[in-house]
């Protein structure tokens, strides 16, 4: 395999490899010779996923995702951010490979990549360490507020009938709970059908069956559900798997 800034150029079948050991950074991009694209991630403890089913980011923790109090001012070039969590514990490295951003006050609008952190109890203080090369770009103060976002590809779940995150892709193979594998984001894929697709029309995540898709009718109900691509070839029947040209992430 060749490497190019977070991308792997693989052979056919590489996208179907799964396992219990993490062998790539989350979000690593796999490109096959025909241009199909996949992202590397891990299923949550909640459930296994079947090939062709749609997946979503982990549900955010309400006490971690906005307005976290910063406990020490930061200067340009710093490599860490000290803060106090809201409700809910953060296990060691829960947010490793994820993101921290300043959402209000001095330094607002800046996003940083997380390398590591110790376990932080709910409502307690801790330090978030940034990856090499990503340093504080604009000074912030103890009046600034921060927010945490887990890697989109960590603790992935089956896309529920009412979205609680956003689509990370379609499972390329069966992936067991807590195991690692590939989620397709671009190109021709087989996708579980809830309501028969309309060839050439947009396809969205389903509000009827978790992990499945149905046609997107922009004049109908649920027209704001996430669009994942365009239906291709013959329309599949319910519970079948149809061809979809995915357009989630190139």
């Amino acid at each position: 395999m060749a490497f190019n800034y977070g991308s792997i150029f693989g052979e056919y079948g590489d996208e179907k490899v799964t396992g219990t050991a993490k062998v790539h950074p989350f979000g690593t991009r796999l490109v096959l010779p025909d241009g199909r694209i996949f992202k590397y991630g891990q299923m949550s403890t909640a459930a296994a996923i079947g090939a062709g089913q749609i997946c979503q980011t982990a549900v955010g923790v309400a006490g971690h995702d906005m307005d976290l109090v910063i406990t020490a001012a930061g200067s340009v070039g710093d490599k860490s951010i000290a803060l106090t969590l809201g409700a809910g514990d953060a296990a060691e490295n829960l947010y490793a490979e994820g993101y921290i951003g300043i959402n209000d006050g001095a330094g607002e609008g800046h996003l940083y990549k997380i390398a590591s952190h110790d376990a932080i109890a709910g409502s307690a203080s801790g330090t978030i360490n940034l990856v090499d090369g990503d340093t504080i770009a604009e000074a912030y103060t103890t009046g600034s507020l921060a927010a945490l976002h887990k890697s989109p590809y960590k603790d992935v779940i089956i896309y529920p009938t009412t979205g609680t995150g956003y689509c990370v892709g379609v499972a390329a193979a069966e992936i067991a709970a807590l195991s690692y594998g590939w989620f397709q984001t671009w190109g021709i894929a087989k996708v579980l059908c809830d309501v028969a697709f309309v060839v050439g029309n947009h396809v969205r995540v389903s509000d009827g069956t978790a992990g499945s898709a149905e046609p997107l009718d922009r004049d109908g109900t649920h027209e704001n559900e996430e669009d994942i691509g365009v239906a291709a070839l013959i329309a599949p029947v319910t519970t079948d798997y149809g061809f979809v040209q995915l357009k989630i992430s190139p």
Side-chain angles (χ1 to χ4, degrees):
M1 292 183 179
F3 293 82
N4 181 26
Y5 299 106
S7 293
I8 297 172
F9 297 90
E11 301 296 334
Y12 298 119
D14 287 346
E15 78 280 8
K16 298 178 179 68
V17 175
T18 67
T20 57
K22 184 171 181 280
V23 295
H24 302 289
F26 288 129
T28 294
R29 179 173 175 266
L30 170 65
V31 184
L32 295 188
D34 61 1
R36 284 180 290 152
I37 294 173
F38 305 79
K39 300 292 180 68
Y40 187 74
Q42 179 190 31
M43 289 302 297
S44 73
T45 59
I49 189 76
Q53 295 183 30
I54 304 169
C55 298
Q56 181 204 274
T57 55
V59 180
V61 179
H64 299 177
D65 62 4
M66 187 67 74
D67 291 347
L68 303 181
V69 174
I70 290 176
T71 57
S75 301
V76 173
D78 284 355
K79 291 285 298 173
S80 63
I81 298 175
L83 50 72
T84 299
L85 289 183
D89 298 343
E92 181 180 3
N93 289 333
L94 177 68
Y95 290 101
E97 299 187 56
Y99 305 92
I100 183 169
I102 308 300
N103 62 269
D104 195 13
E108 63 189 3
H110 284 282
L111 181 73
Y112 303 100
K113 185 79 171 177
I114 297 172
S116 65
H117 61 83
D118 291 336
I120 309 172
S123 303
S125 299
T127 299
I128 305 296
N129 303 304
L130 308 183
V131 298
D132 289 342
D134 204 1
T135 59
I136 299 304
E138 181 181 356
Y140 56 82
T141 71
T142 53
S144 302
L145 298 172
L148 294 166
H149 191 306
K150 189 183 293 186
S151 167
Y153 305 98
K154 177 179 173 62
D155 298 331
V156 169
I157 64 172
I158 297 172
Y159 206 111
T161 55
T162 299
T164 52
Y166 54 92
C167 182
V168 297
V170 174
E174 291 71 21
I175 308 174
L178 276 181
S179 288
Y180 301 87
W182 297 97
F183 302 91
Q184 188 172 353
T185 63
W186 199 264
I188 288 291
K190 275 293 191 179
V191 180
L192 177 61
C193 171
D194 182 34
V195 177
F197 305 156
V198 178
V199 177
N201 286 9
H202 289 274
V203 172
R204 65 170 174 88
V205 296
S206 173
D207 60 296
T209 302
S212 67
E214 62 181 82
L216 171 59
D217 181 354
R218 297 192 190 280
D219 296 323
T221 59
H222 298 284
E223 67 270 21
N224 291 326
E225 299 288 356
E226 192 169 359
D227 182 354
I228 64 167
V230 176
L233 297 182
I234 188 170
V237 298
T238 300
T239 72
D240 248 355
Y241 289 75
F243 284 106
V244 175
Q245 175 68 21
L246 293 178
K247 297 184 178 182
I248 300 167
S249 176

